[in-house]
PDB file of all heavy atoms in Angstrom:
ATOM      1  N   ASP B  96      83.285 102.958 115.781  1.00 96.00           N
ATOM      2  CA  ASP B  96      83.132 104.318 115.261  1.00 96.00           C
ATOM      3  C   ASP B  96      84.245 105.155 115.820  1.00 96.00           C
ATOM      4  O   ASP B  96      84.267 105.356 117.085  1.00 96.00           O
ATOM      5  CB  ASP B  96      81.766 104.901 115.526  1.00 96.00           C
ATOM      6  CG  ASP B  96      81.552 106.200 114.839  1.00 96.00           C
ATOM      7  OD1 ASP B  96      82.429 106.862 114.368  1.00 96.00           O
ATOM      8  OD2 ASP B  96      80.369 106.510 114.797  1.00 96.00           O
ATOM      9  N   PRO B  97      85.118 105.730 115.059  1.00 95.00           N
ATOM     10  CA  PRO B  97      86.178 106.558 115.685  1.00 95.00           C
ATOM     11  C   PRO B  97      85.708 107.853 116.117  1.00 95.00           C
ATOM     12  O   PRO B  97      86.361 108.519 117.021  1.00 95.00           O
ATOM     13  CB  PRO B  97      87.179 106.652 114.487  1.00 95.00           C
ATOM     14  CG  PRO B  97      86.295 106.614 113.297  1.00 95.00           C
ATOM     15  CD  PRO B  97      85.292 105.704 113.584  1.00 95.00           C
ATOM     16  N   VAL B  98      84.644 108.392 115.664  1.00 96.00           N
ATOM     17  CA  VAL B  98      84.152 109.752 116.032  1.00 96.00           C
ATOM     18  C   VAL B  98      83.689 109.782 117.451  1.00 96.00           C
ATOM     19  O   VAL B  98      82.963 109.022 117.899  1.00 96.00           O
ATOM     20  CB  VAL B  98      83.042 110.127 115.045  1.00 96.00           C
ATOM     21  CG1 VAL B  98      82.469 111.494 115.421  1.00 96.00           C
ATOM     22  CG2 VAL B  98      83.460 110.190 113.570  1.00 96.00           C
ATOM     23  N   GLY B  99      84.382 110.758 118.108  1.00 95.00           N
ATOM     24  CA  GLY B  99      83.992 110.898 119.626  1.00 95.00           C
ATOM     25  C   GLY B  99      84.867 110.130 120.500  1.00 95.00           C
ATOM     26  O   GLY B  99      84.813 110.279 121.697  1.00 95.00           O
ATOM     27  N   GLU B 100      85.687 109.306 119.918  1.00 96.00           N
ATOM     28  CA  GLU B 100      86.711 108.618 120.820  1.00 96.00           C
ATOM     29  C   GLU B 100      87.590 109.571 121.608  1.00 96.00           C
ATOM     30  O   GLU B 100      88.211 110.541 121.003  1.00 96.00           O
ATOM     31  CB  GLU B 100      87.635 107.702 119.948  1.00 96.00           C
ATOM     32  CG  GLU B 100      88.679 107.001 120.727  1.00 96.00           C
ATOM     33  CD  GLU B 100      89.647 106.148 119.859  1.00 96.00           C
ATOM     34  OE1 GLU B 100      89.431 106.231 118.682  1.00 96.00           O
ATOM     35  OE2 GLU B 100      90.615 105.552 120.437  1.00 96.00           O
ATOM     36  N   VAL B 101      87.684 109.398 122.849  1.00 97.00           N
ATOM     37  CA  VAL B 101      88.622 110.277 123.758  1.00 97.00           C
ATOM     38  C   VAL B 101      90.033 109.691 123.674  1.00 97.00           C
ATOM     39  O   VAL B 101      90.257 108.581 124.118  1.00 97.00           O
ATOM     40  CB  VAL B 101      88.022 110.311 125.152  1.00 97.00           C
ATOM     41  CG1 VAL B 101      88.842 111.143 125.980  1.00 97.00           C
ATOM     42  CG2 VAL B 101      86.629 110.852 125.171  1.00 97.00           C
ATOM     43  N   LEU B 102      90.933 110.427 123.144  1.00 96.00           N
ATOM     44  CA  LEU B 102      92.397 110.048 123.097  1.00 96.00           C
ATOM     45  C   LEU B 102      93.057 110.297 124.330  1.00 96.00           C
ATOM     46  O   LEU B 102      94.004 109.522 124.671  1.00 96.00           O
ATOM     47  CB  LEU B 102      93.086 110.714 121.921  1.00 96.00           C
ATOM     48  CG  LEU B 102      92.344 110.565 120.493  1.00 96.00           C
ATOM     49  CD1 LEU B 102      93.246 111.262 119.446  1.00 96.00           C
ATOM     50  CD2 LEU B 102      92.288 109.069 120.212  1.00 96.00           C
ATOM     51  N   ARG B 103      92.700 111.373 125.030  1.00 96.00           N
ATOM     52  CA  ARG B 103      93.396 111.620 126.320  1.00 96.00           C
ATOM     53  C   ARG B 103      92.482 112.678 127.019  1.00 96.00           C
ATOM     54  O   ARG B 103      91.795 113.497 126.339  1.00 96.00           O
ATOM     55  CB  ARG B 103      94.776 112.157 126.116  1.00 96.00           C
ATOM     56  CG  ARG B 103      95.035 113.362 125.391  1.00 96.00           C
ATOM     57  CD  ARG B 103      96.482 113.787 125.250  1.00 96.00           C
ATOM     58  NE  ARG B 103      96.692 114.886 124.341  1.00 96.00           N
ATOM     59  CZ  ARG B 103      97.908 115.397 124.218  1.00 96.00           C
ATOM     60  NH1 ARG B 103      98.937 115.041 124.888  1.00 96.00           N
ATOM     61  NH2 ARG B 103      98.074 116.465 123.352  1.00 96.00           N
ATOM     62  N   GLY B 104      92.719 112.867 128.319  1.00 96.00           N
ATOM     63  CA  GLY B 104      92.033 113.879 128.985  1.00 96.00           C
ATOM     64  C   GLY B 104      92.070 113.719 130.541  1.00 96.00           C
ATOM     65  O   GLY B 104      92.755 112.752 130.983  1.00 96.00           O
ATOM     66  N   GLY B 105      91.502 114.550 131.261  1.00 97.00           N
ATOM     67  CA  GLY B 105      91.574 114.563 132.680  1.00 97.00           C
ATOM     68  C   GLY B 105      91.211 115.828 133.288  1.00 97.00           C
ATOM     69  O   GLY B 105      90.735 116.783 132.517  1.00 97.00           O
ATOM     70  N   THR B 106      91.263 115.969 134.472  1.00 97.00           N
ATOM     71  CA  THR B 106      90.952 117.238 135.215  1.00 97.00           C
ATOM     72  C   THR B 106      92.265 118.028 135.565  1.00 97.00           C
ATOM     73  O   THR B 106      93.156 117.424 136.150  1.00 97.00           O
ATOM     74  CB  THR B 106      90.197 116.958 136.562  1.00 97.00           C
ATOM     75  OG1 THR B 106      88.996 116.259 136.191  1.00 97.00           O
ATOM     76  CG2 THR B 106      89.700 118.326 137.245  1.00 97.00           C
ATOM     77  N   LEU B 107      92.346 119.225 135.121  1.00 97.00           N
ATOM     78  CA  LEU B 107      93.496 120.022 135.447  1.00 97.00           C
ATOM     79  C   LEU B 107      93.497 120.553 136.862  1.00 97.00           C
ATOM     80  O   LEU B 107      92.462 120.441 137.530  1.00 97.00           O
ATOM     81  CB  LEU B 107      93.482 121.231 134.419  1.00 97.00           C
ATOM     82  CG  LEU B 107      93.499 120.917 132.918  1.00 97.00           C
ATOM     83  CD1 LEU B 107      93.528 122.269 132.116  1.00 97.00           C
ATOM     84  CD2 LEU B 107      94.663 120.018 132.498  1.00 97.00           C
ATOM     85  N   ALA B 108      94.636 121.131 137.290  1.00 97.00           N
ATOM     86  CA  ALA B 108      94.821 121.472 138.639  1.00 97.00           C
ATOM     87  C   ALA B 108      93.787 122.631 139.046  1.00 97.00           C
ATOM     88  O   ALA B 108      93.366 122.684 140.175  1.00 97.00           O
ATOM     89  CB  ALA B 108      96.217 121.985 138.897  1.00 97.00           C
ATOM     90  N   ASN B 109      93.368 123.355 137.956  1.00 96.00           N
ATOM     91  CA  ASN B 109      92.344 124.478 138.280  1.00 96.00           C
ATOM     92  C   ASN B 109      91.040 123.975 138.206  1.00 96.00           C
ATOM     93  O   ASN B 109      90.008 124.868 138.289  1.00 96.00           O
ATOM     94  CB  ASN B 109      92.663 125.626 137.284  1.00 96.00           C
ATOM     95  CG  ASN B 109      92.451 125.219 135.809  1.00 96.00           C
ATOM     96  OD1 ASN B 109      91.971 124.178 135.546  1.00 96.00           O
ATOM     97  ND2 ASN B 109      92.815 126.156 134.894  1.00 96.00           N
TER      98      ASN B 109
END
Side-chain angles (χ1 to χ4, degrees):
D96 189 340
V98 177
E100 178 187 359
V101 178
L102 300 183
R103 58 179 172 175
T106 303
L107 304 180
N109 61 7

